[in-house]
Amino acid sequence: MNIRIGHGYDVHAFGDGDHVMIGGVRIAHDHGVLAHSDGDVALHALCDAMLGALALGDIGAHFPPADPQWKGADSRVLLRHCQALVAGRGWRLGNADLTVVCERPRIGPHAQAMREAIASDLGVDAGAIGVKATTSERLGFTGRGEGIAAHAVCLLVAA
Ligand SMILES: [Zn+2]
């Protein structure tokens, strides 16, 4: 088989802070997120999708929260690590599609910068990276503004 599909999902709760990292982009906000790393839900979901596509386990297995080397980690470093794993096994990213779920902050104005950051880390065209955002109509934990969720799917192609 010369294609593989992967799916990832991640959530972080809001906590104290003045910004959030989403899709590799720093967004000023009246909260931060609780996380061991920089708490970038979009990149964590994407890492899980890429790992999942090759059945390599999940992000927690590759970057254990208890490991001090990942404390406050820039999630773009994790993403590039996943990219290297994928490339090392003879695969490349065909495309990826991400959906970020939150009421605030607004994602739309930053979506293009996220696409470019992700594409640069994965060595692909920004046209291969979709970043979309939705609210959950004030329902559930995202609707109550308690946290942010992200979904990602990706297609890997034999290099
Ligand atoms: Zn995460």
Side-chain angles (χ1 to χ4, degrees), residues 10-12 40-41 44:
D10 193 40
V11 170
H12 283 279
D40 191 322
V41 281
H44 294 177

Side-chain angles (χ1 to χ4, degrees), residues 56-138:
L56 294 175
D58 62 28
I59 193 170
H62 289 265
F63 312 104
D67 187 336
Q69 77 168 302
W70 307 119
K71 184 167 171 53
D74 176 347
S75 294
R76 293 184 68 178
V77 172
L78 310 190
L79 181 62
R80 290 194 290 264
H81 184 90
C82 291
Q83 162 64 15
L85 275 174
V86 164
R89 282 171 165 72
W91 297 84
R92 63 178 178 81
L93 186 88
N95 75 301
D97 187 24
L98 288 76
T99 302
V100 180
V101 186
C102 60
E103 302 291 327
R104 294 175 54 245
R106 289 192 61 216
I107 302 301
H110 305 283
Q112 182 62 25
M114 294 176 190
R115 293 176 62 212
E116 287 167 9
I118 294 166
S120 149
D121 286 341
L122 298 181
V124 298
D125 258 26
I129 308 296
V131 173
K132 315 185 300 301
T134 185
T135 71
S136 41
E137 300 289 343
R138 304 203 166 275

